[in-house]
Amino acid sequence: MSVGDMIGRAIRVYRLNLRSWVPILIWPTIICMVGRVLFQGATAYIPVVEDKLPLQIGLAVAAFVGLTILFLAKWVLIVRQLAFVRIANGFSDSLTEALDYMKSRQWSVAGIFVVLSFIMSAVGGLWLLELIASGMLYKRDTLLALVATTGLGFGFIVGFLSLSFIYYVQFIVLSGIACEKIGLTAMISRGFKLAGKAFFRTLYLGLMISVTVYFISIPLWLPPFVLIGLDALRVGADLNLAEEIPIFWQVISSAWEPLVEMIIWPISSLTFGYFYYDLRLRQEAVDVIMHLDAKGTDPVSEVRFS
């Protein structure tokens, strides 16, 4: 499949399963809304009560509780969306089985985030050192100015591409965890191997998903924008020149964002799931393995995931 086909298929599959999948996501999304509102409201009020230390401490505790709630709710949402990936790629026959499978692999999902975050931090740190070194070489009206400028441009461009690649590999690896019964390190290695052989296609897919999600989210954000606009007209506020965004507007945006994510995140997850399987088809001929498995005596689960 082409990148456009995968994105289009993800949108169609999610739309067709909206009635059965949204109830799975709605309660974690509501809890996520509560956590975001609590965190946003508490952090916004802390500067307002700067002369009242006990109240500041209470707000800081509330912000921490909100952040914890937000983290746990997003964790549940990610695991459940990966269950959708498993179903969409044909590795589960029912939503219940897919959810149970992902519950058994949720610590592998956590491990992926930890390992890939560490790798991204390490790579980002190396590129930051390269940028600092290039900046220190700069001397105006000398050859070093050209060398430093070239080094800075190279660092920004290649550093951005490499970090974007690792970020997208993270979702490819998560898709693999949702579909295959292999270990964490083996899955990460496979993800980098598959994506590395399709480096620019991986970056292109990530770019197109970002563009698609952006345009889908525009109409979804219209309700809070209209509400904020009406409130601005009511109080006579200037949306462009306001020095500080009213807390009420921040709370509305924070509460609405999880609802938007409930629509766009599954589309992204499904697309990366299709991309992972497409990479295996192109590079490992997994369809041939499955065809041979269907004629063999070994269980599908043992051969398919080898």
Side-chain angles (χ1 to χ4, degrees):
M1 289 189 292
S2 68
V3 168
D5 291 335
M6 285 183 278
I7 295 175
R9 185 176 181 181
I11 294 173
R12 290 194 301 272
V13 168
Y14 187 51
R15 177 174 56 83
L16 291 173
N17 292 278
L18 206 60
R19 290 186 177 181
S20 59
W21 289 2
V22 166
I24 303 297
L25 301 176
I26 189 64
W27 283 111
T29 298
I30 292 174
I31 296 173
C32 187
M33 291 171 60
V34 173
R36 284 191 67 91
V37 169
L38 184 59
F39 176 76
Q40 185 71 44
T43 53
Y45 269 109
I46 288 177
V48 177
V49 293
E50 57 183 5
D51 296 331
K52 301 177 181 179
L53 182 59
L55 188 54
Q56 282 187 322
I57 294 175
L59 289 171
V61 172
F64 176 76
V65 172
L67 189 62
T68 302
I69 294 173
L70 176 63
F71 173 80
L72 294 176
K74 282 186 176 293
W75 173 252
V76 174
L77 285 169
I78 291 171
V79 171
R80 294 186 177 185
Q81 288 168 25
L82 290 176
F84 302 159
V85 173
R86 181 172 175 83
I87 291 178
N89 278 321
F91 289 91
S92 284
D93 297 325
S94 68
L95 182 57
T96 301
E97 192 277 337
L99 290 170
D100 290 339
Y101 176 83
M102 284 312 306
K103 286 180 182 178
S104 69
R105 304 226 64 185
Q106 57 185 339
W107 296 115
S108 295
V109 175
I112 288 172
F113 279 114
V114 171
V115 174
L116 269 296
S117 296
F118 174 79
I119 293 175
M120 285 192 68
S121 299
V123 173
L126 291 175
W127 283 114
L128 180 61
L129 291 175
E130 191 274 344
L131 292 174
I132 294 174
S134 298
M136 293 177 65
L137 285 175
Y138 184 84
K139 288 186 178 181
R140 189 175 180 179
D141 299 328
T142 65
L143 182 60
L144 289 176
L146 177 61
V147 174
T149 302
T150 303
L152 288 171
F154 178 82
F156 276 118
I157 296 173
V158 179
F160 174 77
L161 292 178
S162 60
L163 290 175
S164 298
F165 175 74
I166 297 172
Y167 178 74
Y168 297 142
V169 167
Q170 177 178 250
F171 295 102
I172 295 173
V173 174
L174 287 173
S175 298
I177 285 292
C179 297
E180 306 199 26
K181 295 179 180 178
I182 63 176
L184 173 63
T185 55
M187 190 65 251
I188 293 176
S189 175
R190 172 180 284 181
F192 275 103
K193 180 181 178 181
L194 292 173
K197 292 181 179 180
F199 180 82
F200 291 105
R201 190 163 179 255
T202 300
L203 292 176
Y204 176 62
L205 175 84
L207 174 63
M208 293 308 297
I209 290 177
S210 299
V211 172
T212 302
V213 163
Y214 172 77
F215 282 104
I216 291 176
S217 64
I218 290 176
L220 298 177
W221 275 104
L222 285 179
F225 284 168
V226 170
L227 183 60
I228 290 174
L230 292 175
D231 186 64
L233 292 174
R234 181 182 64 84
V235 299
D238 190 331
L239 291 175
N240 296 317
L241 301 179
E243 295 181 358
E244 296 183 0
I245 300 176
I247 295 176
F248 173 66
W249 296 0
Q250 297 180 40
V251 170
I252 290 178
S253 299
S254 298
W256 192 261
E257 186 173 351
L259 293 175
V260 175
E261 292 176 346
M262 186 177 67
I263 302 299
I264 61 178
W265 274 20
I267 294 174
S268 300
S269 298
L270 289 170
T271 303
F272 275 107
Y274 290 136
F275 184 61
Y276 169 77
Y277 195 66
D278 182 75
L279 290 176
R280 289 209 65 194
L281 286 174
R282 292 170 182 265
Q283 300 180 25
E284 299 177 356
V286 68
D287 54 336
V288 176
I289 296 175
M290 294 173 63
H291 177 71
L292 294 175
D293 175 59
K295 294 184 177 182
T297 57
D298 293 327
V300 173
S301 60
E302 296 296 328
V303 179
R304 178 190 292 176
F305 304 129
S306 61

